[in-house]
Amino acid sequence: MMARLSVWRSPVTVPLSWIGELTTGVRCSSSMPIVRPAYSDSSSIIRSFSEIPGLWKNGMANLYHFWKLDGFRNLHHIMVQNFNTFGPIYREKIGHYESVNIINPEDAAILFKAEGHYPKRLKVEAWTLYRDYRNRKYGVLLKNGEDWRSNRLILNKEVICPKVLGNFVPLLEEVGQDFVARVHKKIKQSGQNKWTTDLSQELFKYALESVSSVLYGERLGLMLDYIDPDAQHFIDCITLMFKTTSPMLFIPPALLRKIGAKVWQDHVEAWDGIFHQADHCIYNIYRELRKESGTPKKYPGVLASLLMLDKLSIEDIKASITELMAGGVDTTSITLLWTLYELARHPKLQDELRAEVAAARAESQGDMQEMLKRIPLVKGALKETLRLHPVAVSLQRYIAEDIIIQNYHIPAGTLVQLGLYAMGRDPKVFSRPEQYQPSRWLRTETHYFRSLGFGFGPRQCLGRRIAEAEMQIFLIHMLENFRVEKQRHVEVKSTFELILLPEKPILLTLKPLHGSR
Ligand code: HCD
């Protein structure tokens, strides 16, 4: 038993270059250790699943308690509290939502090693029920099993493979330049040589413009003064869609639908708005593609590439493109807003980043793709933002095999969640976690299973490369043009609306670096 245990507890090395790995069988076999208590050493007794601490016996009572604590908006704080109360592993059942929760990077390694060939995260029933209700196909976000795998492999090549990144950069650079020009214009209009505002609406538009230009190879024109009302409606629908999802994590949406609950109705309306706009964009590209003959001269965007590749059905392509478009707005824009907020709070750091960008610009003669290789501190800043302000409060998998974590046996099929928000703020995992220190990502200290803002492995965020390039290019342009400042020292907390958001508006002031234009 001792020998077996040491095998389980030894550090797991999982290759990070996973893209090609999908086809190779690197996952270990499911020969699982026999679970019986070992009495040779009391510290290594393997305890049973039912001995895991936590509140998991009465889902309904826990749901009531959770609701009393305003848990629908405080999930992240409640998780931190639970780890404080129960230790590094706890079991929980809220309503019909059952999980085992972990916080340590070493345990995360065990979890992801057991994700199996077809990694499966929590099923967001509200999202699948909407698609069933409206007779729409699932995209790669909601698919599972072989259907997921075959779609994901094809999408990887067009969306996340380093080779295609070069195609995205010039498109994203153009949007970045337009954003800067828009801010300069706003500063001029103000007549005060500065612009103080809640940037979130502007950032939503930047993010939608960016992801659309990559997906469709075309601009929507959202950096202009008068924007398409349908695009604005799309943005509003995404926020509403996320907000209405969170209660339905705990209360079955099928039940809410049966009783005609308002959250379900709002949710349907939100997705209808999202699909309406995405269908419109997709149809335009599809029509243009049928008119044109021969191969296009310039990169035509992800959608057209997928259509020409002809490996996925049109319905499958539409479903995944819609998910990418909807997933690419609030996620990146909020991460950028948090980053600007942190830079405003740390003026010296802001200058350091600016210096790094200036040096990178000089060394690469303005070639953006070259520049992106020379900005480690800017990349560290984005990692640091996602550590303190992750988009996703947790990462989860239904494990494909039995595992042992913190000496507890967890059977295959269990939903195991890594508390990403809690991990990012745990002093046992990050030294001085409360401090925003991008340089911690440069140092040689271990980053083992610590940078998980986009998830892990073959099921990680498909939009990751687009998001990263989009955010890096944004920061480059902003740092080169403006100083970011903030009003007073007010600490802004997060609120949970399926993704984590700032609980209140963040007011920032942008000042031009080089006189007025
Ligand atoms: C929310 O307890 C909290 O990239 C739940 C567990 C959970 C499951 C799935 C996660 C979700 C959380 C947060 C938002 C995520 C989602 C999977 C994909 C989604 C992380 C952590 C997101 C934002 C893409 C959304 C795309 C959609 C709009 C089509």
Side-chain angles (χ1 to χ4, degrees):
M1 206 59 212
M2 284 304 290
R4 275 182 204 263
L5 251 187
S6 65
V7 170
W8 278 98
R9 302 295 301 167
S10 68
V12 194
T13 42
V14 184
L16 287 166
S17 57
W18 56 275
I19 291 169
E21 178 200 304
L22 254 177
T23 44
T24 62
V26 289
R27 305 288 161 191
C28 61
S29 78
S30 59
S31 63
M32 72 100 172
I34 304 147
V35 183
R36 72 174 117 78
Y39 299 106
S40 51
D41 172 1
S42 66
S43 68
S44 67
I45 293 179
I46 296 170
R47 283 163 292 184
S48 74
F49 189 51
S50 58
E51 290 174 273
I52 301 176
L55 295 168
W56 48 270
K57 293 216 166 120
N58 191 340
M60 280 308 149
N62 297 338
L63 178 63
Y64 175 74
H65 192 66
F66 184 73
W67 173 72
K68 279 280 205 183
L69 290 171
D70 202 11
F72 291 137
R73 272 179 284 159
N74 275 317
L75 186 63
H76 51 308
H77 294 133
I78 290 179
M79 283 181 88
V80 170
Q81 222 177 41
N82 284 335
F83 285 117
N84 284 336
T85 314
F86 299 117
I89 185 168
Y90 68 88
R91 219 177 131 181
E92 179 175 65
K93 185 170 182 184
I94 304 170
H96 76 148
Y97 191 154
E98 259 193 281
S99 62
V100 168
N101 295 270
I102 59 172
I103 190 170
N104 290 329
E106 288 69 26
D107 296 337
I110 299 172
L111 164 63
F112 288 114
K113 230 197 132 183
E115 67 178 6
H117 222 48
Y118 302 114
K120 223 178 124 197
R121 78 164 82 75
L122 174 80
K123 179 173 164 179
V124 181
E125 274 175 60
W127 296 354
T128 52
L129 188 68
Y130 171 83
R131 280 144 184 88
D132 299 345
Y133 177 59
R134 289 286 194 231
N135 245 315
R136 287 193 173 263
K137 285 208 91 173
Y138 296 179
V140 81
L141 179 78
L142 302 176
K143 284 182 192 289
N144 282 313
E146 193 46 48
D147 190 23
W148 163 77
R149 204 177 129 92
S150 56
N151 274 252
R152 176 80 200 214
L153 280 169
I154 294 162
L155 288 165
N156 278 348
K157 291 209 193 74
E158 300 301 322
V159 182
I160 199 173
C161 166
K163 254 194 288 174
V164 293
L165 192 67
N167 296 323
F168 303 160
V169 170
L171 295 166
L172 295 169
E173 198 181 356
E174 201 186 281
V175 183
Q177 282 162 355
D178 290 355
F179 188 85
V180 165
R182 180 169 169 79
V183 175
H184 276 304
K185 196 172 142 190
K186 292 281 185 187
I187 291 174
K188 214 172 191 175
Q189 282 173 356
S190 78
Q192 296 176 302
N193 207 31
K194 66 179 185 192
W195 186 34
T196 300
T197 186
D198 168 12
L199 271 175
S200 51
Q201 279 303 317
E202 295 298 327
L203 291 171
F204 284 152
K205 290 190 278 176
Y206 170 78
L208 179 56
E209 185 78 36
S210 294
V211 75
S212 304
S213 82
V214 166
L215 294 177
Y216 307 121
E218 262 176 20
R219 294 292 300 268
L220 295 184
L222 302 179
M223 303 286 92
L224 304 171
D225 283 336
Y226 298 101
I227 69 160
D228 179 3
D230 283 352
Q232 185 58 55
H233 183 62
F234 179 82
I235 290 172
D236 299 337
C237 283
I238 295 173
T239 309
L240 180 63
M241 179 277 292
F242 280 131
K243 195 190 172 87
T244 50
T245 305
S246 52
M248 292 192 273
L249 289 175
F250 309 97
I251 305 162
L255 177 77
L256 293 167
R257 179 180 144 187
K258 210 175 287 164
I259 63 171
K262 182 152 188 310
V263 263
W264 170 252
Q265 285 166 7
D266 287 350
H267 193 68
V268 168
E269 212 173 285
W271 275 121
D272 282 347
I274 292 168
F275 275 96
H276 172 83
Q277 180 68 1
D279 282 348
H280 178 77
C281 293
I282 293 168
Y283 179 69
N284 279 342
I285 300 298
Y286 183 69
R287 203 183 44 194
E288 277 172 38
L289 211 63
R290 292 188 61 171
K291 274 193 295 190
E292 274 165 35
S293 51
T295 40
K297 279 157 234 89
K298 67 173 190 18
Y299 176 69
V302 174
L303 171 60
S305 302
L306 285 168
L307 289 168
M308 290 187 295
L309 194 65
D310 202 24
K311 282 194 184 160
L312 291 177
S313 74
I314 292 179
E315 290 309 308
D316 275 342
I317 294 175
K318 280 172 72 176
S320 286
I321 292 285
T322 304
E323 289 173 355
L324 281 166
M325 186 178 172
V329 179
D330 298 33
T331 49
T332 52
S333 56
I334 282 154
T335 306
L336 287 173
L337 185 61
W338 281 122
T339 306
L340 293 178
Y341 164 79
E342 293 291 355
L343 296 187
R345 302 209 305 170
H346 301 87
K348 261 176 69 187
L349 170 70
Q350 194 181 137
D351 288 333
E352 272 174 64
L353 289 165
R354 196 168 282 122
E356 183 187 72
V357 169
R361 171 77 69 188
E363 281 169 37
S364 45
Q365 276 107 40
D367 177 335
M368 186 52 75
Q369 237 193 314
E370 282 302 313
M371 267 187 97
L372 297 182
K373 294 177 193 153
R374 294 178 166 84
I375 48 165
L377 199 61
V378 171
K379 291 178 183 175
L382 286 167
K383 284 188 187 172
E384 196 63 347
T385 302
L386 288 173
R387 176 180 71 81
L388 284 168
H389 314 282
V391 170
V393 62
S394 68
L395 305 176
Q396 349 62 45
R397 293 291 185 268
Y398 293 94
I399 50 174
E401 51 191 273
D402 291 41
I403 54 175
I404 293 166
I405 289 185
Q406 300 286 338
N407 272 332
Y408 289 102
H409 169 235
I410 307 171
T414 306
L415 181 71
V416 181
Q417 306 196 121
L418 169 71
L420 195 64
Y421 177 90
M423 181 181 90
R425 289 164 183 260
D426 184 349
K428 293 191 277 315
V429 180
F430 294 96
S431 58
R432 321 208 74 178
E434 71 291 347
Q435 294 189 0
Y436 186 81
Q437 278 178 20
S439 64
R440 73 168 83 233
W441 299 99
L442 308 179
R443 285 188 232 120
T444 46
E445 68 186 65
T446 179
H447 302 149
Y448 185 70
F449 281 88
R450 278 160 176 78
S451 172
L452 293 171
F454 293 95
F456 175 81
R459 189 111 218 194
Q460 73 180 279
C461 175
L462 177 61
R464 176 180 194 156
R465 300 280 171 237
I466 302 175
E468 285 174 342
E470 173 188 320
M471 295 192 293
Q472 290 159 12
I473 290 170
F474 176 91
L475 290 177
I476 288 175
H477 283 107
M478 290 303 280
L479 286 162
E480 285 182 322
N481 285 276
F482 310 106
R483 187 179 307 287
V484 192
E485 291 172 9
K486 63 187 279 294
Q487 253 68 358
R488 276 164 290 109
H489 267 292
V490 272
E491 176 91 16
V492 181
K493 295 209 177 83
S494 297
T495 176
F496 175 77
E497 291 190 359
L498 199 83
I499 58 173
L500 292 171
L501 303 174
E503 62 167 355
K504 59 182 178 214
I506 296 178
L507 279 187
L508 296 172
T509 300
L510 298 174
K511 293 183 177 168
L513 282 172
H514 326 280
S516 54
R517 291 198 169 174

